[in-house]
Amino acid sequence: MARTVRWPALLIGAGATLLVIALVYLAFTYTTITVPAPGGTYVEGVAGLPHAINPLLAAYNDVDRDLCALVFSGLTRMNSRGEVEPDLALKWETSLDGLTYVFHLRSGLRWPDGAPLTADDVLFTIGLMQDPDFPGPSDLGALWRTVQVFKDDDQTVRFVLSEPFAPFLDYTTVGLLPTHILSGTRAADLSSLDFNLQPVGSGPFQVAEVETQGGDIASVLLKPNPEYYGPKPYLEGVRFRFYPSYQSAFRAYQAGEVEGVGRVLLSELPQARQEADLNLYSAPLADQVLIFLNLAKRDELPFFQEKEVRQALLYGLDRQGLVDGVLEGQAIVAHSPVLAGTWAYYEGIRRYEYDPQQARALLDGAGWTLPPGGKVRTKGELGFSFTLLSSTDPVQVAVAQEVARQWQAVGVYVTTVAVPPLELRDRLERRDYQAALVELALPGNPDPYPLWHQTQITTGQNYAGLDHRRISEVIETARITVDPARQAVLYREFQELFADEVPAILLYQPVYTYGVDRKVQGVQMGPLMIPSDRLATISSWYIATRRVIVSQAEVASR
């Protein structure tokens, strides 16, 4: 019997072989990876309640600032180094004399309802702040009342200052309000607007829902702004839930009510570290904790008048030990009145490392000696003792007590007294203190003028009473210098003079800790100018994912 060839079987076998070869090739050449996908709502617990989701009124309420950071945009924004960079404005030019700034808006900007965002919105917003009845921060209104504002065309705004002012760009970060919605609104009526809880802004998100419970606002839901000019967020929603305290917000996370905790306090940190699904992110906050010495009380506190004594007080403090012990590592020792990591910080600043022997030698050399068997240094009939004020915040109290203990070891006797925060502020303003432990907020331009210039001794914020002509000259010049390179040179000299004079005892820069559940991915946090900056990268956060096929070469390059 003649044999026949089984062509269909051969073809099927050859096809199967080719398929196997192709699959093997694809397996070695391509793979699948998980990538972010749109979807999911992130829920965060924060302490406090919103009062006005309005950038002109939000300065004193962290909850309002959190919401405004996502709902509104300004001409500019501030980065983690304290530098001002473009936002709604694509670019700007500054005149050589530092008096004129011309801002150019991005093309095609729109409000969430589709209305165009133009120079008219800039003029409207600034006009409200220039009004004498402006209810927002007094320094904001005072600055803008010295500035003339002109619309050159729909995309161009010109500011003319009465005199050069280096920190001016910081003030252009304020969020813009829509004139087509609020036209005719008076500054005096800003605080009572329905708009404050139903705002319309040009940021990446917009308010979609305000939930109330028992007459209070329980939560606010944000949805992506379809007209936002920047990258579209992956998250389909961000919900803020409001609690009486950071501690209760943390407990809400433990109970599964929220996926993030707006701030994890030092007291909750040990528990937070035990939460397997809670990722903790930490970064320096643009605050500084220091001790003001009342230099103006010359007769009452003569020891503060001697530079060597002030240096001895700094040498006598183990600040790193204080950070590691009392603060559990949640701070960075401060060596300069300008914050480390910002553009004006001088890396070569003189550092006072813990050296109790040097402290004792300086005190002995200044005539403050320990009598035989004594515990407090004296000079003549005067003992080296004073009162250190702090707020009643438990962390501040603990820091003050540790400082007092360390100074006692070099023969300086300190009594610590804790008072409510408002009383502490009042006593600073009245200069009714001997030494005071204070936390200062220092975001943006490091302009030292308010805190350290001679003209601010009696009525300004120069609470220490520093009366140093050269320091005043340097910071006065820096304030009217718009060239950043020249400013940096002047700020370096200021820092060097400060380190030599030690007009205040610099302690540390606090670290801010933020908690987000691991189901929320893509979270990043750098140095913070204000707490709301923890949300700066939220457009890159995601919950939903999908799998895509990519080449092995592409995987290797990631």
Side-chain angles (χ1 to χ4, degrees), residues 288-292 389 396 424 428 436-440 463:
Q288 189 173 77
V289 176
L290 51 75
I291 296 174
F292 282 127
L389 287 183
Q396 301 288 290
L424 178 61
L428 283 172
L437 179 71
V438 177
E439 182 167 343
L440 300 175
Y463 302 124

Side-chain angles (χ1 to χ4, degrees), residues 88 105 109-111 115-119 121-122 154-155 176 202:
L88 294 176
L105 293 176
L109 293 174
R110 294 189 176 278
W111 296 99
L117 191 158
T118 70
D121 298 296
V122 181
D154 281 348
Q155 304 299 117
L176 298 186
S202 56

Side-chain angles (χ1 to χ4, degrees), residues 306-321 333-337 345 347-356 358-359 362 406-407 495-507:
E306 303 174 67
K307 177 174 71 174
E308 292 75 16
V309 172
R310 299 193 298 268
Q311 291 175 346
L313 289 174
L314 199 45
Y315 276 124
L317 283 182
D318 182 4
R319 294 177 292 170
Q320 189 60 57
V333 172
H335 299 287
S336 166
Y345 178 71
E347 292 285 353
I349 190 72
R350 174 181 177 180
R351 300 189 174 205
Y352 290 78
E353 304 296 351
Y354 180 47
D355 190 342
Q358 177 69 359
L362 284 169
Q406 292 187 20
W407 275 340
Q495 291 170 81
E496 291 174 325
L497 290 167
F498 192 100
D500 182 57
E501 288 292 327
V502 192
I505 306 299
L506 305 180
L507 294 180

Side-chain angles (χ1 to χ4, degrees), residues 187-206:
D189 297 329
L190 275 175
S191 300
S192 59
L193 295 178
D194 291 341
F195 177 91
N196 294 334
L197 292 179
Q198 301 169 8
V200 175
S202 56
F205 289 88
Q206 56 185 327

Side-chain angles (χ1 to χ4, degrees), residues 77-85 173 282-287 332 338-345 442-446 509 524-530 532-537:
R77 62 184 165 218
M78 195 171 291
N79 66 22
S80 62
R81 285 177 46 81
E83 300 164 320
V84 174
E85 59 186 22
T173 61
S282 295
L285 181 63
D287 285 10
I332 299 169
V338 174
L339 297 176
T342 58
W343 65 271
Y345 178 71
L442 302 173
N445 191 290
Q509 182 179 352
Q524 294 183 346
M525 191 172 81
L528 311 177
M529 287 293 110
I530 57 175
S532 301
D533 288 342
R534 71 185 186 278
L535 305 167
T537 63

Side-chain angles (χ1 to χ4, degrees), residues 183-436:
S183 179
T185 298
R186 301 179 307 159
D189 297 329
L190 275 175
S191 300
S192 59
L193 295 178
D194 291 341
F195 177 91
N196 294 334
L197 292 179
Q198 301 169 8
V200 175
S202 56
F205 289 88
Q206 56 185 327
V207 173
E209 175 187 290
V210 176
E211 179 187 28
T212 60
Q213 186 175 352
D216 291 327
I217 297 174
S219 74
V220 171
L221 175 65
L222 307 181
K223 294 284 190 179
N225 173 6
E227 298 291 348
Y228 181 57
Y229 77 87
K232 307 304 180 188
Y234 292 111
L235 296 172
E236 68 178 9
V238 177
R239 184 181 291 277
F240 290 92
R241 292 195 182 279
F242 309 115
Y243 295 90
S245 64
Y246 290 114
Q247 292 91 337
S248 54
F250 177 68
R251 289 194 293 271
Y253 172 78
Q254 293 178 309
E257 298 174 15
V258 299
E259 294 149 350
V261 184
R263 185 169 193 174
V264 179
L265 296 181
L266 191 61
S267 57
E268 266 61 57
L269 202 52
Q271 294 182 65
R273 288 171 175 154
Q274 298 302 313
E275 294 290 335
D277 292 332
L278 185 65
N279 289 330
L280 298 177
Y281 303 86
S282 295
L285 181 63
D287 285 10
Q288 189 173 77
V289 176
L290 51 75
I291 296 174
F292 282 127
L293 308 174
N294 196 332
L295 305 178
K297 292 184 179 291
R298 297 177 181 276
D299 296 331
E300 180 183 337
L301 307 166
F303 33 76
F304 288 161
Q305 304 306 313
E306 303 174 67
K307 177 174 71 174
E308 292 75 16
V309 172
R310 299 193 298 268
Q311 291 175 346
L313 289 174
L314 199 45
Y315 276 124
L317 283 182
D318 182 4
R319 294 177 292 170
Q320 189 60 57
L322 184 151
V323 165
D324 294 340
V326 176
L327 303 175
E328 299 185 30
Q330 299 302 294
I332 299 169
V333 172
H335 299 287
S336 166
V338 174
L339 297 176
T342 58
W343 65 271
Y345 178 71
Y346 173 46
E347 292 285 353
I349 190 72
R350 174 181 177 180
R351 300 189 174 205
Y352 290 78
E353 304 296 351
Y354 180 47
D355 190 342
Q357 289 186 340
Q358 177 69 359
R360 294 185 182 100
L362 284 169
L363 291 169
D364 288 340
W368 293 95
T369 58
L370 270 175
K375 294 184 178 181
V376 180
R377 291 178 178 270
T378 60
K379 189 175 186 179
E381 296 182 356
L382 184 65
F384 199 152
S385 64
F386 58 90
T387 299
L388 174 60
L389 287 183
S390 77
S391 80
T392 49
D393 175 82
V395 173
Q396 301 288 290
V397 170
V399 168
Q401 291 174 344
E402 175 62 14
V403 167
R405 186 193 67 79
Q406 292 187 20
W407 275 340
Q408 180 68 65
V410 295
V412 176
Y413 185 76
V414 179
T415 302
T416 61
V417 175
V419 297
L422 290 179
E423 182 180 341
L424 178 61
R425 177 178 176 180
D426 178 63
R427 291 185 63 172
L428 283 172
E429 291 178 348
R430 291 188 287 113
R431 278 54 173 175
D432 178 24
Y433 75 98
Q434 294 183 334

Side-chain angles (χ1 to χ4, degrees), residues 80-101:
S80 62
R81 285 177 46 81
E83 300 164 320
V84 174
E85 59 186 22
D87 195 353
L88 294 176
L90 182 64
K91 60 181 181 177
W92 64 86
E93 299 98 29
T94 308
S95 63
L96 293 177
D97 61 8
L99 294 178
T100 302
Y101 293 75

